[in-house]
Amino acid sequence: MFIGRAGITSLAMMKSHAPATLRNRDPILEVLKRVLPKKGLVLEVASGSGEHASYFAPALGGLSWQPTARDLSDRASISAWAAEGTCDNLLDPLDLDVLHTPWPVAQAAAIVCCNMVHISPWAVTQALMAGAGRTLSAGGVLYLYGPYKIDGNHTAASNQAFDESLRSRDPQWGIRDLGDVVKEAARHALGHVETVAMPANNQSVIFRRT
């Protein structure tokens, strides 16, 4: 497909950039290659800029990757990043707010959600777990990435400072205790399988639909 100079300029203007993506995408991809199924649909919740989707999908060719975002500007950025490549398994972004039902995807083999749990009210995590319980096939995987407290304690002083910053922006935001997240997941038939320590004091948290 030919895209003229004006089109290239327009796409560049729509793209947003999350600086942490370049640092975390390879460690995340290493875990995803190990825990995701080899085929089926992966529903990415809160795809943000779309940089993860455009990087992960080509590396996971047996899977169809469905990015989503609540905000129109994010969906435009996802499309702009996707337009840079020629990836057949990266689908057009869908409008998804986890608080609204029904979700636009009825069934998925896996759900991936990075950096949403701490930058949203607790009700959003509850809705994510309920939606994952409805949407995942038996044996399906829910993958979460981000910072978590372990047994009520921050894993680093930098995480504590980040948590305080988040709560100053919105008292309903903040780094969650992993135990609370695991308990909420269990209410929706999502069993905690594994937690993997990641760079920059983050965690990969893997659940499986029973």
Side-chain angles (χ1 to χ4, degrees):
M1 178 177 67
F2 174 75
I3 301 176
R5 182 175 296 177
I8 293 172
T9 301
S10 178
L11 286 172
M13 291 176 64
M14 290 189 292
K15 286 166 55 180
S16 59
H17 175 58
T21 302
L22 287 176
R23 299 194 299 270
N24 66 32
R25 64 185 189 181
D26 285 313
I28 293 174
L29 181 57
E30 183 178 346
V31 178
L32 293 179
K33 285 181 175 179
R34 181 170 61 80
V35 303
L36 291 184
K38 300 304 179 186
K39 59 181 181 179
L41 178 72
V42 176
L43 174 62
E44 184 185 13
V45 174
S47 300
S49 67
E51 294 166 275
H52 275 157
S54 65
Y55 190 74
F56 295 155
L60 299 165
L63 294 163
S64 296
W65 194 277
Q66 178 61 73
T68 68
R70 183 185 63 177
D71 297 330
L72 181 60
S73 59
D74 284 340
R75 296 197 298 276
S77 179
I78 293 166
S79 295
W81 281 103
E84 287 194 342
T86 56
C87 183
D88 294 335
N89 65 324
L90 180 56
L91 307 177
D92 292 335
L94 295 177
D95 181 359
L96 171 61
D97 183 331
V98 298
L99 293 171
H100 296 163
T101 57
W103 285 8
V105 172
Q107 190 171 42
I111 293 175
V112 171
C113 183
C114 298
N115 292 320
M116 184 187 80
V117 169
H118 57 288
I119 313 180
S120 60
W122 176 243
V124 171
T125 297
Q126 292 175 311
L128 171 65
M129 295 305 180
R134 293 190 308 267
T135 306
L136 286 173
S137 308
V141 171
L142 170 63
Y143 171 91
L144 304 181
Y145 171 85
Y148 292 89
K149 290 188 285 186
I150 307 295
D151 296 328
N153 299 310
H154 287 290
T155 60
S158 58
N159 278 12
Q160 181 173 350
F162 182 41
D163 185 35
E164 292 169 356
S165 173
L166 289 171
R167 294 179 188 277
S168 71
R169 292 164 60 189
D170 188 325
Q172 296 187 82
W173 293 4
I175 295 176
R176 310 299 175 188
D177 189 88
L178 182 58
D180 293 335
V181 176
V182 169
K183 288 177 184 177
E184 187 62 32
R187 294 181 62 239
H188 301 282
L190 298 162
H192 179 223
V193 175
E194 184 181 5
T195 300
V196 182
M198 304 291 282
N201 305 303
N202 289 299
Q203 309 287 330
S204 286
V205 187
I206 299 100
F207 301 88
R208 191 173 299 277
R209 178 69 164 85
T210 58

